[in-house]
Amino acid sequence: MRSMASSTSAKGIAAIVGVGPKLGRSIARKFAHEGYTVAILARDLGRLSRFADEIAREEKAQVFAIRIDCSDSKSVREAFEGVLSLGFLEVLVYNAYQPVSWHPTNFTDIKIDSFEKSLAVSSLGAFLCAQQVLPGMVERGRGTILFTGCSASLNGIAGFSELCCGKFALRALSQCLAREFQPLGVHVAHIIIDGVIGPPRGPSASQRGLVGEQQQSGVGGNGDGDGAVMMMDPDALAQTYWHLHVQDRTAWTQEIDLRPSITRFY
């Protein structure tokens, strides 16, 4: 964990749990750009520290890298002791998930430890992190908790029991927390990412806000989109996380789904 000695932003802390090279990093960069002190959390502290240094340098912000294992309650508790030592937590983004094969797995071939790990990271970890931050948010009467879901949050998919069960549970948790804590001033939202996330279009894409631009691969020359794969820009997705955070409390979103314009609806 990086030194906690530096002063933090008056806007408070944004904690991003589950930071990799795509969406998590883009969300962290967006909140840093908007003036927040950012804590980024993941299992690989070496890679995380490189991300923290990069974002801090580019956005001239305070960014702290903290290791966490979302499936372990002791690790979550210790990680958030570090986060909360930075100041008051304004935003929690839970973006962690246990990677699974993109090839379907026969149900009878799924190992119990693999199934339990996926459930723990997708849902138990979200439960543990939310328990760490909600008391402070309720005390201040404000805060934002954003959970990242996917198409498996809505539909059971043959061969993907591990992923679907964890994401179903995460969606249920977000709805329960919204109904309990939104009357107390805490905005809870669930973001369904219905597509494949690619690399950012460029280092300043999130600042340009080029929503209309498209990044495609495998699109036929006839322009009809047959066989098209349009990758989702993580910087564009991060804009939505930011907009959810700054929504007026008279018009809060509880769930939103995001997909590219060329897609298949199931």
Side-chain angles (χ1 to χ4, degrees):
M1 184 167 59
R2 299 179 68 202
S3 170
M4 301 296 189
S6 301
S7 60
T8 57
S9 167
K11 290 188 174 183
I13 312 301
I16 319 300
V17 179
V19 174
K22 295 181 181 178
L23 181 56
R25 181 167 61 169
S26 290
I27 296 170
R29 182 182 289 113
K30 176 61 179 175
F31 278 87
H33 180 73
E34 297 295 340
Y36 281 78
T37 295
V38 176
I40 57 175
L41 301 92
R43 280 175 291 193
D44 187 341
L45 185 57
R47 184 173 70 167
L48 203 62
S49 296
R50 292 193 295 274
F51 292 160
D53 291 339
E54 169 195 293
I55 296 169
R57 181 177 63 254
E58 292 177 355
E59 303 297 341
K60 297 179 174 56
Q62 293 288 332
V63 184
F64 299 90
I66 302 173
R67 187 187 182 280
I68 191 171
D69 178 352
C70 295
S71 66
D72 180 78
S73 60
K74 182 173 182 289
S75 175
V76 173
R77 184 175 63 254
E78 291 175 347
F80 275 89
E81 286 175 357
V83 172
L84 296 175
S85 73
L86 296 170
F88 65 92
L89 190 78
E90 189 73 17
V91 184
L92 169 66
V93 177
Y94 192 83
N95 186 57
Y97 78 101
Q98 179 69 12
V100 297
S101 171
W102 288 110
H103 299 288
T105 302
N106 290 331
F107 179 73
T108 53
D109 293 334
I110 297 174
K111 305 299 182 185
I112 183 63
D113 57 343
S114 176
F115 186 82
E116 289 178 340
K117 183 73 170 180
S118 184
L119 280 177
V121 174
S122 289
S123 54
L124 176 61
F127 167 86
L128 294 170
C129 291
Q131 279 201 330
Q132 292 294 315
V133 306
L134 274 166
M137 290 181 175
V138 170
E139 182 179 351
R140 291 189 308 278
R142 70 176 192 272
T144 303
I145 299 178
L146 305 175
F147 296 110
T148 299
C150 62
S151 52
S153 304
L154 300 176
N155 301 296
I157 305 170
F160 293 94
S161 299
E162 297 165 88
L163 179 63
C164 293
C165 289
K167 288 299 186 180
F168 266 56
L170 178 64
R171 185 184 187 219
L173 177 67
S174 76
Q175 293 177 0
C176 292
L177 295 183
R179 284 160 175 77
E180 182 173 353
F181 291 102
Q182 287 193 169
L184 303 178
V186 182
H187 185 190
V188 182
H190 181 237
I191 301 95
I192 299 168
I193 309 297
D194 187 11
V196 179
I197 301 174
R201 288 188 297 254
S204 59
S206 63
Q207 298 163 27
R208 294 196 308 266
L210 303 179
V211 177
E213 288 192 3
Q214 300 175 345
Q215 179 175 348
Q216 304 179 35
S217 63
V219 179
N222 59 7
D224 61 7
D226 289 345
V229 176
M230 179 182 287
M231 307 298 283
M232 303 180 80
D233 180 357
D235 285 349
L237 294 172
Q239 292 277 7
T240 295
Y241 284 74
W242 171 253
H243 290 316
L244 288 168
H245 170 55
V246 298
Q247 280 183 329
D248 187 271
R249 64 175 57 199
T250 63
W252 274 350
T253 296
Q254 202 289 304
E255 185 168 80
I256 187 170
D257 59 337
L258 305 173
R259 59 178 57 86
S261 59
I262 298 179
T263 189
R264 294 179 180 178
F265 288 82
Y266 293 95

